[in-house]
Amino acid sequence: MTDFIGYTYAFTVALGGVIGFLKAGSMVSLMAGLSFGGLAAYAANRVSTNPKSTGLALVVSLTLFIVMGVRFYKSGKFMPAGLVTIIR
């Protein structure tokens, strides 16, 4: 069974990195977005082939939750940190 939610999440994270780069010229946003988006897509692929293989998806998700949660707490700005925190 295909993990459509996982793939959608991966796409959203990668797209966020691209948007951060285009709006602010942030190479860090681009690299982080593409890296975490790629890891999330790989995790979604693993879950699609073996539904019990959720470890990587959990690690990626928790890492983004913590990092973006801290950024949201410090900045108080919903975009993008608050959105990523809520999604995961």
Side-chain angles (χ1 to χ4, degrees):
M1 186 164 132
T2 303
D3 182 13
F4 291 111
I5 294 173
Y7 284 119
T8 302
Y9 178 68
F11 176 75
T12 303
V13 170
L15 181 63
V18 171
I19 291 171
F21 175 73
L22 293 175
K23 286 184 83 175
S26 173
M27 186 62 75
V28 174
S29 290
L30 179 64
M31 297 307 294
L34 294 178
S35 297
F36 278 99
L39 283 171
Y42 177 67
N45 181 281
R46 288 181 53 164
V47 170
S48 294
T49 57
N50 179 6
K52 293 183 179 186
S53 180
T54 59
L56 180 60
L58 180 63
V59 168
V60 170
S61 205
L62 284 175
T63 301
L64 282 174
F65 176 76
I66 292 167
V67 169
M68 297 307 257
V70 168
R71 287 184 64 193
F72 175 61
Y73 179 76
K74 286 182 178 180
S75 72
K77 295 180 183 176
F78 182 72
M79 289 298 287
L83 178 64
V84 174
T85 302
I86 289 172
I87 286 174
R88 244 347 179 203

